[in-house]
Every structure is written in C-alpha cells, then in structure tokens.
C-alpha cells in the first residue's frame, strides 16, 4: 500500500531524513519509535503533504500512485489521514462544520452522494458516543480551548468519520490519562481492518499494550535503524535507544 | 461550497463580477458645479421651492468647507468641477409607470446583477426600489405597502407627493451643514428612497433598494430618509454595485433614519461597489454619511453592513440615542483587498437614560488592503446607566495588508459603562494545512474561516442577504491568502 524508498528531506536547509525506507501493506499496523527530534513528525508531515519540507531524493508510492506529487487534499481524498501531534485551533469554525465539509469533499471525490444533514449528524453523534465525547463539542470551534486529551480524542473522532485507508497517527497517545488512552485505543482498533493500514508514531509501550503492532521500527538519524515485531518495543522500553544506535554504528 | 476546477483560476483572480456597462442613452448634465447646475437639477425634477432653497443653502455652505483629511486613506485630490452632477436614463416615454414600461436593457442589467425584479418580488416578497444612476425606474409592491399605510417611493417622488413629511424630517438628523460630503450631497442629491411607516404599523415586507452607478464621470448622490413613527417596525435592505471603469468615481450618499417612541428600524447594506483592479486602478470613492436618530423612548436602530467593494470607503453609520432606554446597534464586516482602503466604524452618542449600544466590527484585510476601524462612543452627562459594548476584530490574510483600530471614548456620566474588546488574528498556514489534510480545499478552508469570523454579523442579516453576503465575500477573497 505504501512504499517509501530512500527518502531524503531537508527542513530549513538541514538534512532531517537521510535515506528512509519503509514498506507498509494493507491490514498492517506499524509503530514508529525514536528519540525526540529524530524526524518522526517530519516523516508523517511529508506523507500528508505539509509545506516547508524539501524532498531531495527518494520516492513514495501509495496505492501505485506517486504520493509526493499530490496536494494535501488529494491525498486526503485518496484515503490518507494524519492525526496531528499538535491539532490546530480554528476559531469561529464549528467542529461539526469542518467534519461535514471534509466528509462531503471526500465522498464527492469518490463519486458518492452527499449525506443529508440529519443522517450525517446521526452518524457523527453515534461515533462521538463511541469516543465518549460530549455532544456539545459539535458546536465548539475546532480544537479551540480543548484540553490536550480532548484534542487527541477529536482527532480520532475525525478519523472514524472519514474512514481513511492509511492512517498516520503522530503521538496520539501523548497527554492522555489512562481512561482516555483506552478510549483512543478503542477508536483506533475499531478501524483496524484488512483493507486499512496504520502508522503510529509513539514513545511508549503503553499504547501498544492496547493496539498490538505487526511491526515496530526505530527511526533515528533520519533512517529506520531497526525493525522488529512487538517485542522490539518492549526491549526499547527496557533498554532505551543507545544500544540500537551503537549496533547501527558498528 | 466546492469549486469546479475550471473556475478556480478565474476565481483566483477575483474578477469583479458586476463589471459591465449598460448602453442606454442618458440625459447627463455637463461636468461642473455652480448655482445654475443646482437650479437645473431642481427644475429637471420639478421640485417645490423649499427643496431648491435647501439645496442652495447647502451649496453656499459647502463653498466654505474643506475636504476632511483625518481618515486613514490616501487618494489624489478630487476635482469637483470635473464631475457631472446629474444623469438620468433617457426613456422614450417620460417615465415608466410599470415594469412593462421599463427599458428592457435596464431590466437586463438587473438580471445580471442578480436582481430579477419580478422574480424577486414574487419569490421573496421583497419590494424593490431600483435606483439606476440617479432616477428610480421601477418600484414594486407599492400597492400592498400602501394598504398598510407604508410609503415607499423614490425620494424625488416623495418631495412632490409628500412635501410636508419631507420638509419636516429632511436634514433633521444630518443637517445640510453636517460635513463636507453630506453638504455636497444636500446641494446636488439626485435620488434615493423615502420610507414612512406610520404609528403602530409593522411593515409587511422587507424593503430593498439596489443602487448602481452606471454613467462614466457621474457622481452618485443618493439621499435616503426613513421615518418610523411610534411603535412602527421596518427592515430595509440596500445592495450596491457599479461597473468596472479605469477612472475613479465619487459616491457621496446620505441616509437619515428617524425612530419615534418604541419604533424599530433595521438597516442592512451589502456594498460591492467596484473596488479597482488588483493594481489599484479605478474604483469607487465611497464617502457616505449614515445616521440614525432614536428620537423616542424605547426605540431601536440597527445598522448591519457587509462592505466588500469601493476603492476607498469612508463611512460611519451612527446612532443618536436620545430617547430613554433606546438601543443602537452596529454590526459590520469590512473587507480591504488588493489596494482597497477602508476607514469605517460607527458613532454611538448616548444622550438619554439607560441607553444601550452594541458595536461588532469585523475587519478583513488582504493583499495590500488597509482596514481601519474608527469608532466613537460618547456618554453625555444625562446618560444615566448607559452601556456600550464594543468588539472589534481584525483578520489578516497577507503580510502586506494592515489593520488599524481607532477607538474614541468620551464618558461624562459616572454611572455609564463602556466596554471594549479587540483581537487581531491571521489565517495561518497551519490552519489551512489542517483543513486540507482533511480533504477540504484551500479556497473552501478560507471561506470557512472567514465565514466563522463574520458569523456574529451575518446572523444579523435577513436570510437571503446573508447568503448573498457570504457568496460575495467568498468571491472577493478567492486567492487572497498569502
Ligand atoms: N520548521 C522547522 N524549522 C526548523 N527546524 C525544524 C522545523 N521542523 C522540524 N525541524 C527540526 O527537524 C528535526 C525533526 O523534527 P520532528 O518534529 O520531525 O521530530 P520528532 O521525531 O517528531 O520529535 P518528537 O519526538 O519530539 O515529536 C528537529 O530537530 C526539529 O527541530
Ligand atoms: Mg513529533
């Protein structure tokens, strides 16, 4: 589904990604771990099409298409979704309004009828209930004044509504209390299916206790230094990253 | 909301959609201003003597006045002798009595503007008094209004048919000597609307006027007067647009509103005069004096405006809160894109006890646009327990535009309360990326954010107008981010 080959990227003239390779098949859940500042957010931002990154080499193919040549909304239409590490506040724009615009834009792209307002609302409300979000959040401005945990929950709500094919989750577990972590994990697990893939950036094993990854990768120095199964995450939790870096240097 | 791809490029250029010129023979007075021109205007309109006297008084006063320089706008000096002060479409018959008699070309113009008179009248129950250049050419629903006792007619007609009412109220809110542009208007005003809603009557429909400047080098000087007697209610809508021309055109209108005891007047404007092109060439100079007088106790006057057009806007709809417990409101969205300059705001003058005023101003600046809010809140000594709330927000859409706020407050009564809140925000790349990553295009994201920003003003507009305002804003701001 997603094939990243030898990706090199610069930010503000600095090399951040230096030959990154990653293969993700439909149905898989990948966890990406790695030290702060190693380029994890950079990677998912580039995949979602954010400005400000200069790709100097390499390629990304998504469902057979050249992902890097598509604008962000085209990627969204094609089923790419990014849950932000820092969700953005948009004062004045209702949460439900953005959701509806996004949902209809994606349906329109697929050549589907727009859902009428009542059906849409019923669908969103059911999903909010599942995510244990109060209905009052529908009419609040997007992320404005939301607590850290509420923002993350809202990201997963958007994901449940938009039903992407490839979900990129950037530290969706950060800042969550124990109960919220369970709810968010429940939301992510609900979307797990043989047609979908997920790439989760995380620092902690605790998320992986709830969402079992097929593969775990260590991103450091702008490359995937090591990949393994779920046991790699447990080992990282015990031993930190130094041994991976040392192994790679050797 | 979604835009077809083939239109995007056109929309990105934000072309002025109402820029066409109607080819009709018109009856235009040669440029220049002197007493003879004023006498000629008055004679062409068959005005009674009091009207001519008033015009001449204003003209003589104007000769000794200076153009005001305090506004935060820049423009080359205006040559008042180069302007033609009267232009009327020349019809084969003297004056059309019904729609059927109206020049089809003219009706076509309205069609292009999106004001199909008959349609609109039928569908929306709106009576339209269409002012084409200087003379009102068609008025609908007069009969239904007449049954309710409401007078809604071109100003020039009111001067002839209701001279006592006109003489009683004209200039009673904006005196002929008020300010440079209002005084010029008083001398040369061409036409406009007159509304009179008698005691206890709730006007059965929204009243609407579309103004349009057509002939080249003619100034447009409308004069509008709305009187709501005791307990009466009226909602008046004004839409403005003008064709594209390279030269600048002057528009100096005067609007006077009078609300007697317990009366309410809602005045809504969607102004889309030609703003000039993206290099700042051409466009309307819009110097307007709008003032409402809450003359009776418990009266209420609301100004709601969405201003997307004009090269320069100089406009401060105001309310004199004379009656005890009277209420003044000002809700405004002003856009300054490309090289537009907007200096707009309001004045709330609290005179009576327990008077209240609310000011909500939303300024949007894009391109090289300069947007200034200028507001005065004055609490006079007798304004016991008067209250004002002002909220003044600016949205910036580029790094080259500007937003300026000039709030003035004068409080002479210790029990009066004035509150002022102001914010400035910018549409950020992060916000746009966030929306785009959800599948929403940049244009739609901008529209969504701008509509959200203007929500508090749009909800004050009558429904059909709110939709139009939103569409207008979207067209005006296409491609404006960055
Ligand atoms: N706009 C920018 N300007 C300058 N440097 C940037 C910019 N964006 C990212 N960087 C730098 O790129 C590097 C990688 O950042 P990135 O956000 O991808 O790290 P991360 O792996 O997600 O870290 P964390 O675990 O802390 O979230 C960091 O050193 C960061 O400072
Ligand atoms: Mg990060």
């Amino acid at each position: 589904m997603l094939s990243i080959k030898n990706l090199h990227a610069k930010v503000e003239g600095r090399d951040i990604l230096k030959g990154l390779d990653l293969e993700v098949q439909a149905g898989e859940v990948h966890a990406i771990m790695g030290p702060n500042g190693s380029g994890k957010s950079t990677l998912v931002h580039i995949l979602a099409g954010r400005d400000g990154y200069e790709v100097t080499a390499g390629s990304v193919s998504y469902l057979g298409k050249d992902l890097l040549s598509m604008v962000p909304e085209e990627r969204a239409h094609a089923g790419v979704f990014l849950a932000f590490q820092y969700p953005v506040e948009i004062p004045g724009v209702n949460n439900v309004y953005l959701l509806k615009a996004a949902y209809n834009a994606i349906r329109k792209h697929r050549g589907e009828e727009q859902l009428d307002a009542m059906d849409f609302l019923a669908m969103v409300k059911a999903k909010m209930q599942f995510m244990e979000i109060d209905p009052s959040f529908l009419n609040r401005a997007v992320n404005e004044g939301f607590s850290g945990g509420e923002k993350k929950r809202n990201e997963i709500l958007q994901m449940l509504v938009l039903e992407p094919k490839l979900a990129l989750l950037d530290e969706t577990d950060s800042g969550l209390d124990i109960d919220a972590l369970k709810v968010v994990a429940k939301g992510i697990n609900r979307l797990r299916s043989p047609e979908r893939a997920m790439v989760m950036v995380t620092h902690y094993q605790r998320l992986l206790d709830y969402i079992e990854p097929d593969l775990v990768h260590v991103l450091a120095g702008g490359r995937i230094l090591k990949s393994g199964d779920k046991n790699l995450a447990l080992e990282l939790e015990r031993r930190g990253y130094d041994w991976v870096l040392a192994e790679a240097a050797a | 909301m979604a835009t077809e791809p083939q239109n995007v490029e056109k929309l990105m250029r934000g072309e002025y959609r109402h820029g066409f010129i109607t080819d009709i023979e018109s009856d235009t007075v040669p440029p220049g201003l002197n007493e003879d021109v004023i006498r000629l205007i008055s004679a062409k309109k068959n005005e009674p003597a009091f009207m001519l006297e008033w015009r001449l008084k204003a003209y003589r006063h104007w000769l000794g006045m200076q153009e005001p320089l305090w506004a935060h706008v820049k423009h080359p000096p205006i040559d008042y002798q180069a302007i033609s002060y009267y232009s009327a479409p020349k019809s084969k018959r003297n004056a059309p009595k019904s729609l059927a008699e109206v020049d089809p070309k003219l009706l076509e113009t309205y069609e292009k503007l999106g004001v199909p008179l008959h349609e609109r009248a039928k569908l929306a129950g709106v009576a339209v008094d269409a002012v084409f250049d200087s003379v009102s050419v068609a008025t609908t629903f007069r009969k239904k209004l007449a049954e309710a006792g409401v007078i809604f007619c071109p100003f020039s007609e009111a001067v002839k048919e209701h001279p006592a009412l006109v003489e009683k109220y004209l200039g009673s809110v904006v005196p002929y000597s008020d300010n440079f542009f209002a005084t010029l208007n008083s001398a040369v005003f061409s036409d406009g609307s007159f509304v009179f809603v008698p005691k206890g009557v709730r006007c059965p429909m929204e009243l609407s006027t579309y103004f349009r400047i057509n002939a080249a080098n003619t100034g447009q000087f409308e004069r509008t007067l709305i009187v709501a007697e005791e307990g009466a209610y009226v909602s008046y809508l004004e839409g403005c647009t003008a064709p594209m021309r390279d030269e600048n055109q002057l528009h100096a209108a005067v609007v006077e509103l009078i609300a007697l005891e317990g009366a309410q007047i809602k005045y809504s404007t969607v102004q889309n005069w030609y703003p000039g092109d993206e290099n700042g060439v051409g466009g309307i100079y819009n110097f307007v004096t709008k003032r409402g007088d809450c003359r009776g106790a418990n009266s209420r006057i609301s100004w709601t405006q969405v201003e997307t057009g004009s090269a320069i806007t100089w406009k401060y709809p105001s309310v004199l809160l004379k009656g005890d417990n009277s209420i003044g409101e000002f809700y405004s969205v002003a856009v300054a894109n490309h090289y537009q300059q907007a200096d707009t705001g309001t004045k709330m003058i609290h005179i009576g006890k327990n008077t209240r005023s609310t000011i909500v101003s939303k300024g949007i600046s894009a391109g090289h646009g300069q947007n200034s809010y200028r507001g005065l809140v004055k609490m006079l000594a007798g304004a016991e327990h008067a209250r004002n709330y002002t909220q003044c927000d600016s949205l910036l859409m580029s790094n080259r535009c500007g937003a300026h706020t000039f709030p003035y407050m004068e409080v002479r009564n210790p029990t009066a309360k004035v509150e002022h809140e102001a914010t400035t925000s910018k549409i950020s790349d992060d916000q746009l990326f966030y929306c785009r990553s959800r599948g929403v295009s940049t244009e739609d994201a901008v529209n969504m954010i701008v509509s959200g920003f203007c929500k508090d003003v749009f909800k004050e507009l009558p429904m059909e107008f709110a939709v139009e305002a939103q569409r207008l804003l979207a067209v005006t701001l296409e491609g404006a981010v960055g």
Side-chain angles (χ1 to χ4, degrees):
Chain A
M1 173 180 263
L2 179 71
S3 172
I4 304 174
K5 293 211 164 76
N6 190 34
L7 188 64
H8 286 73
K10 285 184 185 194
V11 180
E12 304 280 332
R14 241 181 78 202
D15 292 317
I16 306 295
L17 300 183
K18 303 167 190 167
L20 186 143
D21 296 292
L22 184 67
E23 295 289 329
V24 179
Q25 307 302 329
E28 290 178 350
V29 172
H30 291 233
I32 295 184
M33 306 181 79
N36 291 132
S38 59
K40 302 181 298 297
S41 293
T42 301
L43 172 64
V44 292
H45 283 154
I46 288 174
L47 294 179
R50 192 177 197 264
D51 278 343
Y53 303 93
E54 190 196 343
V55 173
T56 50
S59 67
V60 179
S61 134
Y62 166 72
L63 294 174
K65 281 180 279 191
D66 174 11
L67 189 68
L68 299 180
S69 70
M70 296 157 79
V71 299
E73 54 269 39
E74 284 171 339
R75 301 182 197 199
H77 298 160
V80 176
F81 179 89
L82 169 63
F84 285 57
Q85 182 174 1
Y86 304 108
V88 181
E89 303 194 356
I90 313 181
V93 176
N94 278 352
N95 217 10
V96 66
Y97 194 75
L98 173 63
L99 258 184
K100 191 155 174 263
Y103 184 78
N104 282 333
I106 290 171
R107 275 181 85 104
K108 187 174 172 202
H109 179 80
R110 293 193 197 132
E112 292 168 6
E113 291 274 306
Q114 313 243 310
L115 206 55
D116 84 70
M118 296 303 285
D119 294 345
F120 176 78
L121 210 60
M123 183 267 283
V124 171
K125 279 188 170 157
K127 292 188 172 173
M128 285 180 94
Q129 199 172 9
F130 184 77
M131 287 305 294
E132 299 174 29
I133 299 174
D134 192 87
S136 66
F137 278 75
L138 277 177
N139 294 314
R140 282 178 61 177
V142 177
N143 292 320
E144 194 186 33
F146 290 21
S147 75
E150 287 165 351
K151 284 182 183 168
K152 296 298 173 79
R153 246 189 248 217
N154 196 44
E155 294 289 288
I156 300 306
L157 171 68
Q158 292 179 354
M159 182 176 83
L160 289 182
V161 170
L162 300 180
E163 300 186 319
K165 292 199 182 81
L166 172 65
L168 310 166
L169 306 162
D170 194 358
E171 294 198 26
T172 300
D173 54 334
S174 301
L176 295 179
D177 67 40
I178 295 154
D179 294 331
L181 182 69
K182 284 187 197 164
V183 172
V184 162
K186 184 173 75 165
I188 296 171
N189 277 324
R190 177 161 162 177
L191 270 202
R192 251 182 121 148
S193 83
E195 306 83 54
R196 276 195 192 100
M198 298 192 185
V199 175
M200 302 189 299
V201 173
T202 183
H203 287 294
Y204 306 106
Q205 171 60 34
R206 55 174 207 166
L207 178 69
L208 306 180
D209 289 341
Y210 297 103
I211 307 165
E212 194 172 296
D214 298 299
L215 283 151
V216 176
H217 311 276
V218 176
L219 198 171
R223 308 170 57 179
I224 302 290
L225 289 190
K226 194 174 178 63
S227 300
D229 63 11
K230 61 181 178 178
N231 292 314
L232 175 58
L234 292 167
E235 195 172 356
L236 291 169
E237 180 108 317
R238 274 202 320 275
R239 298 174 64 188
Y241 293 109
D242 284 349
W243 66 277
V244 182
L245 300 175
E247 212 173 71
Chain B
M1 275 201 51
T3 319
E4 296 304 318
Q6 64 267 28
N7 289 333
V8 170
E9 206 189 319
K10 183 166 162 246
L11 292 173
M12 290 292 276
R13 278 183 269 124
E15 271 173 27
Y16 188 68
R17 295 195 316 132
H18 298 310
F20 47 84
I21 295 164
T22 306
D23 183 19
I24 311 180
E25 260 192 281
S26 47
D27 175 12
T28 302
V29 168
L33 186 56
N34 53 49
E35 291 203 4
D36 288 341
V37 168
I38 290 168
R39 282 175 211 282
L40 186 68
I41 293 171
S42 193
K44 275 191 182 287
K45 299 166 92 56
N46 293 317
E47 287 180 349
F50 83 89
M51 205 61 263
L52 176 61
E53 282 314 307
W54 201 72
R55 287 177 182 277
L56 289 172
K57 217 162 42 176
Y59 174 67
R60 288 167 196 145
H61 190 84
W62 183 75
L63 288 175
M65 292 176 101
Q66 295 287 322
E67 202 177 315
L69 296 172
W70 44 261
H72 191 83
V73 298
K74 279 191 224 120
H75 59 82
I78 300 170
D79 180 358
Y80 293 93
Q81 294 303 333
I83 296 171
S84 164
Y85 288 86
Y86 185 82
S87 166
K90 207 189 269 170
S91 269
K92 304 222 161 38
R93 290 164 214 102
N94 264 343
K97 300 283 183 299
S98 71
L99 276 180
E101 289 181 26
V102 172
D103 188 328
K105 269 241 180 84
L106 213 53
L107 291 178
E108 217 179 278
T109 304
Y110 292 126
E111 295 281 345
K112 283 195 226 168
L113 287 174
V115 202
L117 282 177
H118 29 289
E119 289 283 21
R120 205 183 171 95
K122 250 192 309 198
L123 293 176
V126 173
V128 180
D129 176 19
V131 177
F132 187 86
D133 280 339
S134 307
V135 174
S136 293
V137 289
T139 303
T140 50
F141 272 107
R142 294 271 289 276
K143 219 175 121 227
K144 191 167 170 197
L145 291 172
E147 280 163 16
V150 175
I151 303 171
F152 176 40
C153 66
F155 197 92
S156 51
E157 193 180 309
V159 167
K160 280 172 279 184
E161 293 182 7
H162 311 281
L165 284 175
V166 172
E167 199 172 1
K168 178 169 174 193
Y169 289 107
L170 180 69
S172 72
V173 188
V174 180
Y176 71 85
S177 57
D178 194 80
N179 70 71
F180 186 83
F181 297 112
T183 301
L184 177 61
N185 173 289
S186 301
V188 302
F189 73 84
S190 35
D191 214 332
S193 294
F194 176 77
V195 178
F196 180 82
V197 188
K199 192 167 169 170
V201 171
R202 192 180 165 89
C203 186
M205 65 191 72
E206 312 259 10
L207 304 180
S208 163
T209 299
Y210 269 72
F211 289 115
R212 178 177 161 84
I213 300 177
N214 194 60
N217 285 323
T218 57
Q220 180 99 3
F221 302 93
E222 305 101 20
R223 185 98 202 176
T224 292
L225 176 59
I226 300 178
V227 181
E229 283 197 330
E230 292 83 352
Y233 168 88
V234 61
S235 165
Y236 185 88
L237 321 178
E238 169 196 50
C240 321
T241 184
M244 254 179 329
R245 287 184 189 282
D246 290 343
E247 66 271 33
N248 296 106
Q249 272 180 283
L250 175 64
H251 177 251
V254 173
V255 177
E256 296 180 275
L257 310 181
I258 295 139
L260 302 186
E261 190 174 334
Q264 187 181 348
I265 302 175
K266 251 178 97 70
Y267 194 104
S268 312
T269 305
V270 173
Q271 184 265 115
N272 183 32
W273 299 117
Y274 181 51
D277 67 13
E278 66 236 53
N279 300 312
V281 176
I284 300 292
Y285 291 169
N286 194 28
F287 302 132
V288 174
T289 304
K290 288 183 164 172
R291 196 173 303 154
D293 185 352
C294 280
R295 206 166 279 184
N298 304 308
S299 56
R300 176 174 189 159
I301 289 178
S302 318
W303 297 103
T304 306
Q305 58 175 35
V306 176
E307 307 266 328
T308 63
S310 296
I312 299 178
T313 301
W314 180 100
K315 178 177 166 187
Y316 317 90
S318 312
V319 184
L320 303 172
L321 295 149
K322 288 186 194 153
D324 291 346
N325 312 313
S326 59
I327 297 173
E329 291 163 311
F330 175 74
Y331 301 97
S332 168
V333 169
V335 176
N337 194 4
H338 302 315
Y339 284 85
Q340 278 176 278
Q341 310 171 59
D343 193 300
T344 181
T346 184
K347 285 189 259 180
M348 293 290 172
I349 313 294
H350 292 254
I351 301 164
K353 296 189 193 66
N354 298 316
T355 46
R356 276 178 289 153
S357 63
T358 302
I359 299 171
V360 177
S361 162
K362 305 278 180 178
I364 300 170
S365 313
H368 292 84
Q370 293 295 325
N371 213 328
S372 303
Y373 168 80
R374 190 182 300 279
L376 169 67
V377 176
K378 203 169 181 173
M379 306 283 189
L380 297 188
E384 289 290 315
H385 300 291
R387 289 214 319 262
N388 161 265
Y389 172 74
T390 300
Q391 187 189 325
C392 193
D393 300 321
S394 306
L395 184 66
L396 304 177
M397 299 182 72
S398 81
N399 296 319
R400 291 148 292 159
C401 59
H404 318 270
T405 310
F406 306 98
Y408 304 91
M409 285 172 214
E410 262 183 70
V411 180
R412 302 214 195 114
N413 183 304
T415 64
K417 262 225 261 322
V418 178
E419 255 179 281
H420 182 96
E421 281 177 30
T423 66
T424 300
S425 51
K426 190 171 185 299
I427 295 189
S428 71
D429 292 341
D430 281 344
Q431 288 174 336
L432 292 180
F433 174 62
Y434 189 74
C435 295
R436 294 177 75 192
S437 77
R438 299 304 182 242
V440 178
S441 71
T442 306
E443 298 294 322
D444 287 349
V446 169
N447 287 347
M448 213 155 64
I449 294 169
V450 168
S451 299
F453 177 74
C454 301
K455 199 156 53 184
D456 292 344
V457 174
F458 284 169
K459 76 180 188 336
E460 297 297 323
L461 286 172
M463 191 56 189
E464 334 73 274
F465 241 42
V467 172
E468 180 173 347
Q470 202 144 345
R471 208 197 59 214
L472 202 73
L473 215 58
V475 173
T476 310
L477 293 172
E478 294 289 356
V481 168

